[in-house]
Amino acid sequence: WINGHSVATNENGYLPFRAQLDRHLKYGEKNVLAVRVDNSRQPNSRWYTGSGLYRPVLLEVRQPIHISPDSLFIHTAYLYPRTATLEANLAILNETSKTASVTVDLHIIDPDGFPVITHREEVESAVRECATVSVNLPVGNPRLWSPESPERYRCVARVFHDGALADRVEIEFGIRTIEFDPE
């Protein structure tokens, strides 16, 4: 609840969730944020599930135009002996009252901290909708991830609106493929 208004409910304590608070905030005033845990009406399964807050609770403050939470995703689309093609996907959420033109920057940084790819693209983001960005990025001489050699790259995604940084998200990933067959 925020200021007495219920904004979210989650029936499964093992799954993360988000609640948007801005509609009920009192800007420039004191606000009351309340979190209640009540497992009394939930049937327990084969074991006692417990009740309470066991994971972090975070207050995230975002700009009206931002990268949609958990939308930045990188995977290895193709892997050849001397090159890999990564597919990068993300969504830009526009919570303003007008369509916005934004610039998306993607930077791939190798395990040693050196930039290997930079991609920049202009995107039109409609009101209260997600604009998706999907791009293939070639990486020469990729350093592959394995349990024995866990080489990790980083992707830094930035969104600019009206020349100013609106949001920045960073994730780590490994370059590899895996397949299963009957043999």
Side-chain angles (χ1 to χ4, degrees):
W1 287 270
I2 184 74
N3 296 322
H5 299 275
S6 177
V7 291
T9 301
N10 184 22
E11 300 295 330
N12 186 327
Y14 294 103
L15 298 177
F17 72 101
R18 288 184 164 81
Q20 192 162 343
L21 308 178
D22 59 339
R23 282 175 262 143
H24 302 291
L25 286 175
K26 298 175 185 175
Y27 294 93
E29 298 179 37
K30 185 176 180 178
N31 291 276
V32 177
L33 175 64
V35 178
R36 179 176 175 222
V37 178
D38 181 0
N39 195 33
S40 64
R41 289 185 262 152
Q42 293 294 327
N44 285 312
S45 57
R46 292 170 285 190
W47 60 86
Y48 173 66
T49 58
S51 187
L53 295 176
Y54 296 103
R55 302 287 187 267
V57 176
L58 305 172
L59 181 61
E60 298 174 334
V61 178
R62 300 191 183 278
Q63 296 295 324
I65 295 175
H66 59 271
I67 298 170
S68 184
D70 301 324
S71 73
L72 179 57
F73 183 76
I74 308 277
H75 79 276
T76 306
Y78 302 101
L79 183 58
Y80 304 104
R82 291 194 173 99
T83 188
T85 300
L86 306 177
E87 183 178 313
N89 298 287
L90 71 126
I92 310 302
L93 184 57
N94 177 0
E95 296 184 311
T96 68
S97 60
K98 61 183 179 176
T99 297
S101 179
V102 299
T103 303
V104 177
D105 277 350
L106 293 172
H107 300 279
I108 304 297
I109 300 165
D110 75 10
D112 294 326
F114 296 105
V116 292
I117 299 172
T118 298
H119 174 82
R120 176 172 267 198
E121 163 174 348
E122 300 293 321
V123 177
E124 286 295 315
S125 184
V127 176
R128 300 271 181 206
E129 291 191 17
C130 282
T132 58
V133 174
S134 182
V135 62
N136 287 329
L137 305 167
V139 176
N141 299 312
R143 292 165 53 183
L144 303 182
W145 184 97
S146 72
E148 298 77 32
S149 179
E151 300 282 0
R152 293 169 64 113
Y153 286 74
R154 285 184 296 134
C155 177
V156 178
R158 298 183 306 172
V159 174
F160 295 88
H161 179 244
D162 289 339
L165 180 64
D167 200 4
R168 180 186 186 279
V169 173
E170 182 175 322
I171 62 170
E172 289 187 331
F173 66 95
I175 297 176
R176 73 170 296 167
T177 60
I178 189 167
E179 60 184 61
F180 296 93
D181 63 46
E183 283 91 47

